[in-house]
Amino acid sequence: DIYPNVSTHSLKAFITTECFIEYLKLFRNQYPRENTIYLIVDSYSSHLVVKSREKAEELNIDLYLHYYL
């Protein structure tokens, strides 16, 4: 369960960079800050932009890119 039943979404039905960053913050808040989170992401643009990667690093989240073949 995600306390207190919070979520994030994009009104355009696809994830924006801002929405992805909000997701990272929500995810980070579920675990102790000193624990690194390892998150596998696909090559969607909001996962790859510098802004998202910098925020992930700031939040102690390691993003691992997975390519679909």
Side-chain angles (χ1 to χ4, degrees):
D1 288 337
I2 296 178
Y3 174 82
N5 298 320
V6 293
S7 67
T8 185
H9 69 283
S10 169
L11 296 176
K12 295 181 180 180
F14 59 87
I15 192 163
T16 63
T17 299
E18 292 74 23
C19 186
F20 182 60
I21 288 173
E22 286 303 309
Y23 170 76
L24 293 174
K25 291 177 190 176
L26 289 170
F27 200 55
R28 171 77 274 164
N29 288 332
Q30 303 304 309
Y31 300 94
R33 183 78 164 178
E34 63 274 5
N35 293 358
T36 301
I37 295 173
Y38 301 93
L39 184 62
I40 300 169
V41 297
D42 62 16
S43 59
Y44 194 69
S45 62
S46 65
H47 303 154
L48 301 177
V49 295
V50 172
K51 187 175 179 181
S52 293
R53 299 189 76 74
E54 286 176 346
K55 180 53 79 173
E57 184 176 339
E58 176 186 319
L59 295 171
N60 194 21
I61 299 174
D62 282 350
L63 300 179
Y64 288 90
L65 182 61
H66 179 269
Y67 287 99
Y68 293 102
L69 300 176

